[in-house]
Amino acid sequence: MLLMRTAIVTVCLFSYALSSTFSRQPSPSSKHHLQRPFLKMPASTEDSSVLRELKETIQKQSKEIEKLKNELSINQKAQAEPTAGGGHGAPVDVTQEELVAYSTRPFYQIAYKRMGWLGLFLVSLSTTAVIMNGFEHTLEKQIELAYFVPLLAGHGGNTGGQAVGTILSAMSAGIVTLKDAPRMIAKEAMSGLLAGAILGAIVGPVAHYTMGISLHVSTVILITLPLVSSIASTLGCAIPFACVAAGLDASVIAAPAMTSFVD
């Protein structure tokens, strides 16, 4: 509305200036026009001053229009921010009551809502202990490798957590939808692979030359970091899409599910 009003004002000023310019020009049939040509000079001077004023007015109006555009874009971004906190990973219209619900909800209701999923993922995490128990003899021989297991698991959780947060924010803002899932998953997988390769190329030599870790364990770390990063990023991107497609609350499920699968 502000932009439309400004444009109308600009058009009115432009029309008024043109009408003033043409009304001040002497008629060709006028005696003064025929007998005293030198009187055209003052009129020409007035016309140029009117045009100059018109240009200045248009420039001022253009600056005001740009200012209004910037203010409008800022207001639109500010209005879009509450939508990003909807929590369901999909572009939805969040009412004021829904925004206030979380802040006014008692802690025991929040815990009850999350407890079921956390218990399920806790059971799934027990498979990690089973897997570790299966490699107990290997870890006993390679104590150095056991030292880096928490590091690799933690790195996978951090990488996947970044992907989950990014995708949930993009989906809540309406920038990404379910039809973009294949493209986003492929992008996150390649991003995780590249980030892991760079970090592995740093951590591996540092572990070998600085910490005195054996060469074969350092090589395992160098190769494992890109794989863990790629798997974690892929899961962190795919799980929110899967939750939304199934009608589940991605904000509650995505992050712990990703962590459990990566571990």
Side-chain angles (χ1 to χ4, degrees):
M1 294 298 294
L2 293 175
L3 294 176
M4 292 178 61
R5 292 178 183 175
T6 306
I8 292 172
V9 171
T10 303
V11 172
C12 292
L13 291 173
F14 185 76
S15 302
Y16 174 76
L18 289 178
S19 61
S20 301
T21 301
F22 289 116
S23 63
R24 292 176 183 175
Q25 291 182 354
S27 175
S29 59
S30 175
K31 293 182 180 180
H32 296 286
H33 178 73
L34 296 174
Q35 295 177 0
R36 296 181 181 180
F38 61 87
L39 292 178
K40 291 182 180 180
M41 293 301 295
S44 177
T45 304
E46 291 180 0
D47 293 344
S48 62
S49 63
V50 171
L51 291 175
R52 188 163 49 251
E53 292 177 359
L54 178 61
K55 290 181 179 179
E56 293 177 355
T57 303
I58 292 175
Q59 290 177 354
K60 291 180 181 179
Q61 293 295 327
S62 299
K63 293 180 179 179
E64 291 181 1
I65 290 173
E66 291 296 329
K67 183 179 179 181
L68 290 173
K69 286 182 179 179
N70 294 332
E71 293 178 355
L72 183 61
S73 63
I74 293 173
N75 291 333
Q76 289 177 348
K77 291 180 180 178
Q79 292 175 358
E81 285 179 357
T83 306
H88 294 280
V92 293
D93 295 330
V94 182
T95 63
Q96 187 66 25
E97 289 78 9
E98 291 174 341
L99 293 173
V100 178
Y102 172 74
S103 61
T104 58
R105 186 178 300 157
F107 68 91
Y108 55 85
Q109 291 185 3
I110 297 175
Y112 180 77
K113 180 180 179 182
R114 298 176 179 176
M115 183 175 57
W117 288 108
L118 290 175
L120 177 62
F121 296 132
L122 183 62
V123 173
S124 66
L125 283 173
S126 63
T127 58
T128 304
V130 174
I131 294 173
M132 294 289 291
N133 187 40
F135 288 93
E136 182 178 0
H137 297 290
T138 303
L139 294 175
E140 286 178 355
K141 297 177 182 179
Q142 302 292 338
I143 303 299
E144 297 173 335
L145 187 60
Y147 174 79
F148 286 97
V149 169
L151 182 146
L152 295 173
H155 172 72
N158 293 337
T159 306
Q162 289 180 335
V164 168
T166 303
I167 293 300
L168 285 179
S169 298
M171 294 179 70
S172 298
I175 301 173
V176 173
T177 59
L178 284 175
K179 66 180 181 180
D180 300 316
R183 181 169 60 89
M184 293 294 103
I185 293 173
K187 180 188 293 186
E188 286 292 340
M190 297 304 297
S191 174
L193 183 64
L194 179 59
I198 295 173
L199 292 175
I202 297 173
V203 174
V206 169
H208 178 62
Y209 293 105
T210 303
M211 302 175 60
I213 304 299
S214 60
L215 180 61
H216 61 279
V217 172
S218 301
T219 304
V220 169
I221 296 170
L222 188 148
I223 297 173
T224 305
L225 271 176
L227 297 178
V228 171
S229 297
S230 182
I231 293 172
S233 296
T234 302
L235 290 174
C237 181
I239 291 175
F241 284 114
C243 292
V244 173
L248 302 175
D249 193 345
S251 64
V252 176
I253 301 172
M258 179 276 306
T259 303
S260 299
F261 291 143
V262 169
D263 289 346

